[in-house]
Amino acid sequence: MMKIFVYSYREFDEAEYFQKFSKEYGVELGITTDDPTMENAHLAEGYEYVSIITTKIDEELMERFHELGVKMISTRTIGYDHVDIAAAKRLGMHVSNVSYSPECVADYTVMLMLMSIRKMKRIMQREEINDFSLPGIQGRELPNFTVGVLGTGRIGRAVIRDLSGFGCKIYAYDKYENDEVKKYAQYADLDTIYRECDLITLHMPLLEDNFHLIDGDAIGKMKDGVVIVNTARGGLIDTKALIEGIESGKISAAGLDVIEDEFGMYYYDRKSDVLKKRDLYILRGFPNVIVTPHMAFYTDQAVSDMVKNSILSCMYHAEGKEDPWAVV
């Protein structure tokens, strides 16, 4: 029987799916609710396959797993920038991610767009203190926007399809053009999108060549009053440049489900802790910025897909089959 060790096993949402799919596929699970660390890496001894979520697997921890006989690490996420891929390649270890229904993130993205342009954060804050006045909360209508979608993978394509129903003009950017996208959007270079778009939304993986894709120079090229939405990866945006753009008024609103340096914070109860996350406090303080804790993916369908596909990825590798989620 194949064996997989699962770190960060969540009883409240993942457990039913782990039990369902491990039984269905005949897989033996080892589990811990703790994140992987040097102190608990030994728990994976005797397991060639390890499943994780968005927890750091640095070079030291990768080497430790390799010493214990682990052959592959599967992250139950689309993004894999938390895993040291270079170390995995050097050690001959395999890494995979997963896919899940793109609708979860697409729905959330459109929600953040609408909340941002309708000033919903301020409306809700005022309502809480019985301030029902109108000045300062007049919104804008999405059909009047030109929207730029950066990244046209499965999620980006779903967002473009959804936006087409609002009647927006849509520009798209990706290294690899997709015919489905061309039904609804026009591909353009980044400078054109920065110059022409009223709202820019990001749907890319975080790679070395797009780290801080949205920096001070990029923001300077954008239209005055641009709206920025990010449900992809925090590192795609230079946070300091974003804050400066908001303070100057260049950026009129932002909807952020991800930020830089979110590891060790999101998905934990930190309400009694003093967080060394100064940029987070600044962003949350703006009346025109919505910050949510990396929740866009979080639906019942997505959690089921993430667990199932992590198990399947390990099985495909063990059986020598082609793994659609293989990273290295």
Side-chain angles (χ1 to χ4, degrees), residues 56-121:
K56 282 282 188 184
I57 305 293
D58 59 16
E59 182 177 24
E60 184 181 25
L61 190 49
M62 188 75 72
E63 289 177 347
R64 180 60 177 142
F65 279 133
H66 181 256
E67 291 171 1
L68 292 166
V70 174
K71 291 183 177 180
M72 176 175 166
I73 293 175
S74 171
T75 179
R76 305 189 294 278
T77 56
I78 287 180
Y80 49 86
D81 50 293
H82 50 289
V83 180
D84 190 329
I85 300 299
K89 287 181 179 178
R90 179 175 59 80
L91 295 166
M93 293 178 65
H94 296 273
V95 176
S96 71
N97 64 346
V98 296
S99 60
Y100 45 77
S101 164
E103 309 305 333
C104 54
V105 179
D107 290 352
Y108 203 94
T109 299
V110 174
M111 178 186 73
L112 285 179
M113 289 179 181
L114 293 169
M115 291 182 73
S116 296
I117 68 174
R118 294 305 300 268
K119 302 186 179 180
M120 188 54 62
K121 176 179 178 179

Side-chain angles (χ1 to χ4, degrees), residues 96-278:
S96 71
N97 64 346
V98 296
S99 60
Y100 45 77
S101 164
E103 309 305 333
C104 54
V105 179
D107 290 352
Y108 203 94
T109 299
V110 174
M111 178 186 73
L112 285 179
M113 289 179 181
L114 293 169
M115 291 182 73
S116 296
I117 68 174
R118 294 305 300 268
K119 302 186 179 180
M120 188 54 62
K121 176 179 178 179
R122 199 39 134 193
I123 290 170
M124 294 177 71
Q125 288 175 331
R126 287 188 182 187
E127 191 276 336
E128 287 288 331
I129 57 171
N130 294 335
D131 179 354
F132 308 121
S133 60
L134 292 176
I137 56 172
Q138 180 174 284
R140 301 166 68 188
E141 296 184 14
L142 199 50
N144 296 330
F145 275 67
T146 298
V147 180
V149 179
L150 306 188
T152 57
R154 294 172 70 241
I155 293 171
R157 293 198 300 273
V159 169
I160 288 170
R161 180 205 64 213
D162 292 348
L163 286 175
S164 69
F166 286 89
C168 313
K169 182 173 182 179
I170 308 169
Y171 284 106
Y173 171 80
D174 201 295
K175 290 181 179 179
Y176 308 99
E177 296 188 2
N178 181 279
D179 288 339
E180 181 185 340
V181 168
K182 294 177 182 177
K183 298 176 185 177
Y184 309 110
Q186 176 184 337
Y187 275 102
D189 59 30
L190 288 172
D191 281 351
T192 299
I193 288 175
Y194 295 156
R195 184 178 65 249
E196 299 292 335
C197 291
D198 305 291
L199 188 155
I200 295 172
T201 180
L202 291 91
H203 302 286
M204 297 173 163
L206 180 61
L207 306 170
E208 286 185 13
D209 63 356
N210 64 11
F211 178 72
H212 283 181
L213 178 72
I214 305 297
D215 57 10
D217 289 341
I219 292 170
K221 296 175 183 178
M222 294 178 188
K223 296 178 73 171
D224 290 343
V226 67
V227 178
I228 295 177
V229 172
N230 188 7
T231 56
R233 282 295 181 268
L236 294 170
I237 298 178
D238 180 342
T239 307
K240 297 290 192 295
L242 178 71
I243 290 171
E244 289 174 4
I246 294 164
E247 290 176 335
S248 71
K250 181 74 173 182
I251 299 169
S252 67
L256 309 172
D257 187 50
V258 289
I259 60 170
E260 291 188 272
D261 193 29
E262 67 184 48
F263 292 109
M265 176 175 62
Y266 287 167
Y267 314 142
Y268 302 96
D269 183 351
R270 305 293 302 274
K271 63 177 173 285
S272 298
D273 300 336
V274 176
L275 301 178
K276 295 179 180 179
K277 307 287 184 181
R278 188 169 299 178

